Amino acid sequence: MTRLHVVIVGSGFGGLFAAKALRDAPVDVTLIAKTTHHLFQPLLYQVATGILSEGAIAPSTREVLKHQRNVKVVTGLVTGVDVDARTVRHRFHDAESTTRYDHLIVAAGAGQSYFGNDRFATFAPGMKSIDDALELRARIFWAFERAEITADPAERERLLTFVVVGAGPTGVEMAGQIRELASRTLKGQFRAIDSTSARVVLIDGASQVLPPFGASLGRKTKRSLERAGVEVVLDSIVTDMDAESVTYRRKDGETVRLEAASKVWAAGVQGNDLGKTLAEQTGAELDRSGRVVVQPDLTLPGHPEVTVVGDLAFVPGVPGVAQGAIQGARYVAGRIADLAAGRPVAADPFVYKDKGSMATISKYAAVVKVGKLEVTGFVAWVMWLALHLLYIAGFKGRVTTLLHWAISFLSNGRTERVTTNQQLVGRLALEQLGQGVTGRLLRGETGGTGEVRRTP
Ligand SMILES: Cc1cc2nc3c(=O)[nH]c(=O)nc-3n(C[C@H](O)[C@H](O)[C@H](O)COP(=O)(O)OP(=O)(O)OC[C@H]3O[C@@H](n4cnc5c(N)ncnc54)[C@H](O)[C@@H]3O)c2cc1C
């Protein structure tokens, strides 16, 4: 009997956990992802602020799955799905391929949304990928280095003002870490500037930080951030930005322009473009964030062989968190395994089990919410630490992470402070050269807008 062929798009929490859950199923799995790694996004902010190396949070997908004989890993950007022909089109640089499937699990995640102001991305990178985190790291350290050599006090102040837009867990963690970097790690390492005088401003349109954690934890987190020296600006919408400033509108209608060279965008998500393709072909709806409104069993209308899990799926009551993706992936994989083994497939819909949320504020301080239980401070921080270690893929990743944490928490030192020009401007340069340029660049051909020259 021919075995069912399951194609999984994405190697994030949804994709990887779906592949693992099919380990014992009589199916062949092809996992296609545009990166060669599985990414533990919750710790991206630590890569951006020099605590962890990118390898510590992004193990090779091939290595993670090397013992699972029924999985084949393919690196490629999925550019199209044909649900009638049951094929997926993908591209690795300029090599195009098509793969047929019996079952398709799409776990392509979500990107950053700038709420219609995409030009903000030039000045305020988001934080979704290793590239983003390394770019942010380069921008943050660049600002301190530039401030050290400028003679103009106004420019120095501008360079030492860091703005984080979005006070969800990512924004809170990022603001807290930039503050610690400036106050502790870099203290005494410059001669012309005092790194501790850097301003870190966290801006959000909501009236509290960490809205999903509830009002009480939001208040406590705000107080903790302010005690650490982060300025928290709530009820304020960012309306404009350029290389030198951020403009926001307060609830009372007043507009404020803040001089700030470094900006981080941690607000808003936008479902992956593959959602649009699937919606057009199956009649599924997209929500306002471009997520696919799936059926209760995570399939698409009229296509029980196509499922969407994780951040790209809209399921009422399921938040865009790792557990949402993991549980969805396991549910879908279980049904496919039953089908492949000739067992009856249960009609039960997908039910999400909320295991709680957590975020770090600074060293030794975090907030945790599990059901009605709310924990703050050191105990919450220990819980955060233990849980994150548990979920980092692979033994090597856990050991490396623990070592780096020990160095950073005990000495305030950060071992991952390497920054390069490629990290700083690589994204902007590639955007200027246009899509699909890598092949031409590698062949030494013109890059699109001009001749490729070797920089001295
Ligand atoms: C900075 C940050 C911090 C977070 N912190 C937390 C936290 O503390 N706790 C928590 O529970 N959740 C957190 N989350 C959310 C959590 O990471 C996501 O909910 C989870 O990663 C969703 O899993 P996913 O598989 O749907 O998508 P992702 O993990 O984003 O994976 C998407 C995958 O699809 C691939 N892909 C995308 N497009 C294509 C394409 N066209 N072709 C091929 N491959 C493609 C990507 O390369 C990737 O492998 C955080 C997210 C971010 C960004």
Side-chain angles (χ1 to χ4, degrees), residues 147-274:
E148 174 78 353
I149 54 175
T150 182
D152 176 354
E155 195 191 353
R156 190 177 308 137
E157 201 174 313
R158 186 170 61 75
L159 286 161
L160 291 179
T161 302
F162 298 84
V163 172
V164 179
V165 184
T170 302
V172 165
E173 291 176 327
M174 197 63 197
Q177 279 308 316
I178 299 176
R179 182 68 270 159
E180 279 200 2
L181 189 66
S183 305
R184 293 193 167 125
T185 308
L186 299 180
K187 188 177 175 185
Q189 295 187 8
F190 290 90
R191 298 295 171 258
I193 59 164
D194 173 7
S195 69
T196 68
S197 70
R199 284 179 73 190
V200 181
V201 186
L202 178 65
I203 304 179
D204 200 296
S207 48
Q208 73 157 91
V209 299
L210 297 180
F213 286 67
S216 164
L217 280 186
R219 261 195 314 276
K220 285 180 186 159
T221 305
K222 179 171 179 276
R223 269 205 303 275
S224 280
L225 283 168
E226 287 171 341
R227 264 201 308 273
V230 175
E231 298 169 40
V232 182
V233 178
L234 297 172
D235 291 315
S236 299
I237 307 277
V238 169
T239 53
D240 202 5
M241 70 171 65
D242 56 26
E244 309 197 326
S245 69
V246 175
T247 303
Y248 60 87
R249 194 178 55 245
R250 297 196 326 207
K251 203 177 177 183
D252 60 14
E254 194 184 323
T255 296
V256 180
R257 181 184 150 106
L258 186 61
E259 297 290 319
S262 300
K263 278 86 71 179
V264 181
W265 193 264
V269 291
Q270 177 66 37
N272 187 288
D273 279 350
L274 287 178

Side-chain angles (χ1 to χ4, degrees), residues 9-16 32-35 37-45 61 76-80 89-90 106-110 112 127-129 169-170 173 269 272-274 309-313 319-326 356-359 384 388:
V9 180
S11 59
F13 284 104
L16 186 69
I32 309 173
K34 64 180 178 182
T35 64
H37 54 260
H38 162 70
L39 177 58
F40 191 85
Q41 287 178 338
L43 289 176
L44 270 175
Y45 75 96
T61 314
L77 175 79
V78 172
T79 51
R89 250 192 350 271
H90 44 108
V106 183
Q112 210 74 60
M127 198 160 53
K128 287 283 178 193
S129 65
T170 302
E173 291 176 327
V269 291
N272 187 288
D273 279 350
L274 287 178
V309 300
D311 281 5
L312 182 55
V321 295
Q323 273 300 324
I326 293 170
S357 338
M358 47 178 59
W384 170 89
H388 280 72

Side-chain angles (χ1 to χ4, degrees), residues 44 67 101 127 130 133 193 202 229 267 282 288 308 314 379 392 410:
L44 270 175
H67 295 303
Y101 62 80
M127 198 160 53
I130 290 290
I193 59 164
L202 178 65
T282 63
R288 276 175 50 204
V308 182
F314 171 80
V379 177
I392 288 178
L410 298 176

